[in-house]
Amino acid sequence: MLLEEFDYERNAVINPEMAVRPIDDFPEVTVSCFSFQLFNSVLSLFDAKLIAELNSAVGKNPVYEVRYKGKRFAMFQSRVGEPLCVAEYEDLMAIGSRRLILLGNCGVLDKSIEDCGIIIPTEAIRDEGTSYHYAEPGDTIEVNKKYRDEFKAVLRECGYPFVEGKTWTTDAPYRETRSRVNRRKEQGALCVEMECAGMQAACDFRGTEFFQFFYAGDNLDHSTWDPRSLSGDARLDDKTKIMLLAFELGLKIV
């Protein structure tokens, strides 16, 4: 099978260094999210400085430098969907990013997880394609190998409850059939999203550090789909506070 055809060769026909140039003194920690409403809400809190632009067929994606409690961070908006999410971060790693803290939305497979509840993934089910270009074939990949304890300390200090466990990374949100949802629940998945497995595999392959956490969105553990706060504008103030937890983690690891 093609997905079992892992290639250990690091030098590809096209490499990120051919597309971008490194930036001296790039911030030590990069923070990102997917929602443009959330990204703009958090960006508005800072006196941001443009330091780079990522380019793709969908347009330019600005990268900013911001200061949080006196420390420098890079900040950009990640693209939804694993292939472009990974490809753009490949460029950013070539520019200079070495540590990424990524906040994502997810659907929950356990209705007891409250709307906007925080989830720390520990393992990702690889029901996608991108990770297989960066890691040997397998059903799962360990995620968040570093900084789990540091982030849990942040959550306790800031008064946020959380759960941790397995996530289901898929390429096809409109193919989350009831039977597949049930099978992933039997495998222990608490939630479903579209990027975690590939991003962890890519960062492992490139030797950079990656930490991702989620805020719970829609509920799939129901007789009918419940979107809850999936809309980007819903509970934006709460989500903004949750994203600031990424910067708090950054302060601990910078």
Side-chain angles (χ1 to χ4, degrees):
M1 292 180 63
L2 285 175
L3 291 182
E4 296 176 353
E5 193 181 270
F6 180 66
D7 192 337
Y8 291 89
E9 174 60 52
R10 291 188 173 273
N11 186 39
V13 176
I14 306 171
N15 298 294
E17 294 78 7
M18 299 175 181
V20 298
R21 295 182 179 180
I23 292 176
D24 292 336
D25 196 30
F26 193 87
E28 188 175 343
V29 175
T30 301
V31 172
S32 185
C33 70
F34 296 97
S35 163
F36 77 91
Q37 294 101 330
L38 176 56
F39 179 82
N40 289 331
S41 175
V42 175
L43 187 67
S44 70
L45 302 176
F46 300 109
D47 182 16
K49 178 176 73 173
L50 181 69
I51 56 172
E53 287 184 321
L54 306 175
N55 295 288
S56 72
V58 299
K60 295 183 182 296
N61 190 2
V63 182
Y64 298 97
E65 179 183 310
V66 301
R67 285 189 174 270
Y68 181 79
K69 296 185 178 179
K71 298 294 184 180
R72 298 168 59 241
F73 292 86
M75 181 176 167
F76 80 108
Q77 181 189 343
S78 291
R79 305 293 191 185
V80 173
E82 218 174 46
L84 185 51
C85 183
V86 169
E88 285 204 336
Y89 193 60
E90 279 269 33
D91 286 346
L92 199 55
M93 285 188 285
I95 288 172
S97 181
R98 290 293 174 267
R99 293 178 177 179
L100 175 64
I101 303 172
L102 178 59
L103 171 61
N105 176 261
C106 67
V108 297
L109 308 184
D110 179 351
K111 59 179 176 291
S112 70
I113 300 173
E114 295 183 357
D115 190 16
C116 285
I118 294 174
I119 301 170
I120 305 172
T122 58
E123 191 175 27
I125 297 172
R126 298 167 67 186
D127 189 13
E128 38 70 49
T130 305
S131 73
Y132 292 85
H133 296 277
Y134 292 90
E136 293 180 354
D139 289 342
T140 63
I141 184 172
E142 184 183 1
V143 301
N144 291 339
K145 302 171 189 178
K146 295 185 70 173
Y147 306 133
R148 285 185 209 161
D149 289 342
E150 289 85 348
F151 188 59
K152 286 188 279 189
V154 167
L155 296 177
R156 293 185 182 108
E157 289 165 7
C158 296
Y160 280 87
F162 63 90
V163 296
E164 55 184 329
K166 192 178 294 186
T167 184
W168 167 24
T169 306
T170 179
D171 282 339
Y174 288 139
R175 291 301 299 148
E176 295 167 6
T177 62
R178 181 55 57 192
S179 63
R180 284 184 174 177
V181 167
N182 290 338
R183 284 201 297 272
R184 300 300 173 254
K185 288 174 63 177
E186 289 171 0
Q187 288 178 270
L190 299 177
C191 59
V192 59
E193 39 69 41
M194 298 177 63
E195 298 86 14
C196 187
M199 286 295 290
Q200 183 69 67
C203 290
D204 287 349
F205 186 79
R206 297 299 183 192
T208 62
E209 296 179 2
F210 174 70
F211 186 88
Q212 183 169 16
F213 66 106
F214 309 121
Y215 61 90
D218 51 327
N219 177 20
L220 284 74
D221 187 24
H222 196 274
S223 57
T224 58
W225 176 59
D226 180 5
R228 302 201 300 189
S229 70
L230 183 62
S231 168
D233 289 329
R235 298 189 63 176
L236 186 56
D237 287 345
D238 292 331
K239 295 172 184 177
T240 298
K241 293 174 184 176
I242 290 171
M243 187 167 173
L244 292 179
L245 297 172
F247 291 94
E248 290 292 332
L249 174 60
L251 294 176
K252 287 186 177 293
I253 68 176
V254 70

